[in-house]
Amino acid sequence: MPRRLLMRLRAALICAFVASLPLATIWDSAWSLWQRVGVLAVAGVGVFSLLERWPRRLPAWLARWALQVAGVALAMPLTTLAIYLFWTTSSEPFWQQPERRLGFGLLLVLGVLLAPWIALAALVRQKDALARHQALAFELERSELARQASDARLHLLQAQVAPHFLFNTLANVQALVDAQAPQAPALLRSLTAYLRAAVPRLHEPTGTLGHELALVRAYLDLMHMRMPDRLRFSVSAEAALHTLRCPAMTLLTLVENAVRHGIDPAEEGGRIDVAVCRAGAHCVASVTDTGVGMGQGSGGTGLATLRERLALQFGAGARLRLYPVVPHGVRAEIEFPAMEEST
C-alpha cells in the first residue's frame, strides 16, 4: 500500500477516534462505536483518494478539490446507511428501533459535519507540502546551476592564467637569448624539461600543495639560472602539508609576481622566501621578497584573478593579503581551509 495512503488512513482514524469520544459515553459499546467510525474513516479516505485521480478529466467549471470534498460528504450518509443495513443483524429494520435509529442519526450527523472539513484540511496541508517540495526542488536546481556557473568561471580563469604564466616565463628566457648570455642554452633545456612537467597541470583547477611547491621550486631554479648573482631563495614546508588541497598555480602566481615586480626592477636583486604552515583548520602560505616593494603594478591582473579563483573554490574561507616589508619588499600571504585532496 502506498505510503501516502497509509498516512492518510492513520490521520483519518485518529480524527475519527477523537471525534467519537463524546459519543462513547452514551453508546452501549465503545468498541462497537469505534468499529463503525473506523469504517466511516476508511470509506472517506477511499473516496478522497479515488477522486484525486478519477475521472482523469473534469469539466472546466468543476475543481478537483471540490469534487473530493463533495465525494467525502456524500460517502458519509451512504456508508452509515450500509453499516446499519448490512452490518447489524436484527429482526426489525433499524429505523423501527429507537436506540438504533438514534445511533444512526448521531453517526450521520458526525460524519456529514466533520468529514468534509477534515478532507478540506488535508487538501490545504497537501497543497502546502507540494509548495514546499517545489520550492526545495527549485532551490536544488538553482544551487546546481550556480555550481556549474562557478566551475565554468573557474575553468575560464584557469585558462587565462596558463598563457599568462607561459608568456612571462618565455619572455624571461628571450631576454637571455637576446643578450647572448652563456647560460641561455642550459636555461632553455631546463625550461623545456620544466614545461613538459608543468603544462599538463596548468588546466587542472586544483592539485596538492606538494605539486605546487615542486613547481615553485623548479621555477625559482630557472630564475636563479637567469640571474644567479641577483636572486636567492628558499622554499620550506612540512612534509605533512604536501597532501593538502591547493588550487593550481596559486603559489606560482605569487612567486612569479615577486620575481617580475620585486626582484627584476631592483638594482641589486633580492631574496624570495616561500613558507607554508598550518594554523588550526587553515593553511597559511607566504611569499616574501626583498625587492623594490609595493608600487604600481605590484598587484595587477594576476592577483585579482587569484583572489577570484580562491573565492570560487573556498568562498569566504580563503584570503589573500599583501604587507610591506621593512626596509623594502612585499609579503604576500594566502590563507585557505586545510583539506586533504581526494584521490
Side-chain angles (χ1 to χ4, degrees):
M1 186 177 292
R3 183 169 176 268
R4 178 189 290 186
L5 186 58
L6 283 175
M7 293 178 64
R8 286 176 178 174
L9 191 57
R10 184 181 62 181
L13 288 172
I14 292 174
C15 292
F17 173 77
V18 173
S20 64
L21 284 178
L23 297 182
T25 59
I26 60 174
W27 215 267
D28 56 348
S29 169
W31 174 244
S32 172
L33 170 64
W34 291 333
Q35 282 183 314
R36 296 177 190 190
V37 297
V39 171
L40 286 172
V42 171
V45 170
V47 172
F48 183 87
S49 301
L50 175 66
L51 296 179
E52 187 177 34
R53 298 181 181 277
W54 183 88
R56 299 184 64 178
R57 292 185 178 181
L58 293 177
W61 53 268
L62 181 58
R64 175 72 64 180
W65 68 268
L67 179 64
Q68 288 180 271
V69 173
V72 171
L74 183 61
M76 293 300 104
L78 295 178
T79 305
T80 305
L81 182 61
I83 290 173
Y84 276 84
L85 286 179
F86 305 111
W87 189 340
T88 57
T89 57
S90 177
S91 57
E92 297 179 355
F94 72 89
W95 58 82
Q96 293 182 356
Q97 298 178 335
E99 290 186 357
R100 297 181 63 199
R101 190 168 61 243
L102 176 62
F104 172 82
L106 290 175
L107 280 185
L108 179 64
V109 171
L110 182 69
V112 172
L113 287 182
L114 294 183
W117 288 104
I118 294 174
L120 197 58
L123 285 169
V124 172
R125 185 181 176 86
Q126 182 176 309
K127 185 178 179 181
D128 290 343
L130 179 61
R132 288 195 298 271
H133 175 74
Q134 290 177 338
L136 180 60
F138 175 76
E139 181 63 24
L140 288 175
E141 184 179 3
R142 191 189 66 79
S143 299
E144 178 62 19
L145 291 175
R147 188 192 64 78
Q148 292 177 3
S150 297
D151 288 347
R153 178 63 178 161
L154 188 60
H155 282 90
L156 177 61
L157 291 173
Q158 192 72 18
Q160 291 174 347
V161 169
H164 181 260
F165 160 72
L166 291 176
F167 291 151
N168 285 346
T169 307
L170 291 174
N172 288 327
V173 177
Q174 183 65 47
L176 284 178
V177 173
D178 291 343
Q180 296 183 346
Q183 66 270 33
L187 183 60
L188 277 175
R189 285 193 295 273
S190 297
L191 177 63
T192 302
Y194 167 63
L195 292 180
R196 187 175 292 118
V199 166
R201 297 174 184 167
L202 296 180
H203 297 287
E204 297 175 0
T206 187
T208 64
L209 194 56
H211 291 158
E212 188 69 9
L213 289 171
L215 286 177
V216 165
R217 193 173 285 108
Y219 177 78
L220 286 173
D221 284 337
L222 280 172
M223 294 302 103
H224 184 257
M225 292 180 68
R226 180 169 72 87
M227 41 187 175
D229 299 329
R230 302 181 62 245
L231 174 63
R232 300 178 303 282
F233 70 90
S234 69
V235 178
S236 63
E238 296 179 7
L241 303 178
H242 287 194
T243 57
L244 294 182
R245 179 183 175 190
C246 179
M249 302 187 67
T250 299
L251 293 181
L252 199 56
T253 299
L254 297 181
V255 171
E256 184 195 14
N257 219 46
V259 171
R260 186 178 183 186
H261 301 292
I263 304 302
D264 267 347
E267 185 176 348
E268 297 180 353
R271 180 180 180 84
I272 295 177
D273 294 306
V274 180
V276 182
C277 64
R278 185 162 186 161
H282 286 76
C283 183
V284 179
S286 64
V287 176
T288 306
D289 73 79
T290 58
V292 296
M294 300 178 71
Q296 290 185 352
S298 60
T301 306
L303 293 185
T305 303
L306 179 55
R307 279 195 174 92
E308 190 169 355
R309 290 169 56 211
L310 289 172
L312 286 172
Q313 291 210 1
F314 298 111
R319 287 189 291 271
L320 167 59
R321 292 171 291 221
L322 298 179
Y323 304 98
V325 173
V326 179
H328 48 76
V330 175
R331 172 185 169 88
E333 185 177 280
I334 295 178
E335 182 177 343
F336 54 91
M339 297 184 293
E340 294 287 339
E341 175 69 0
S342 58
T343 57

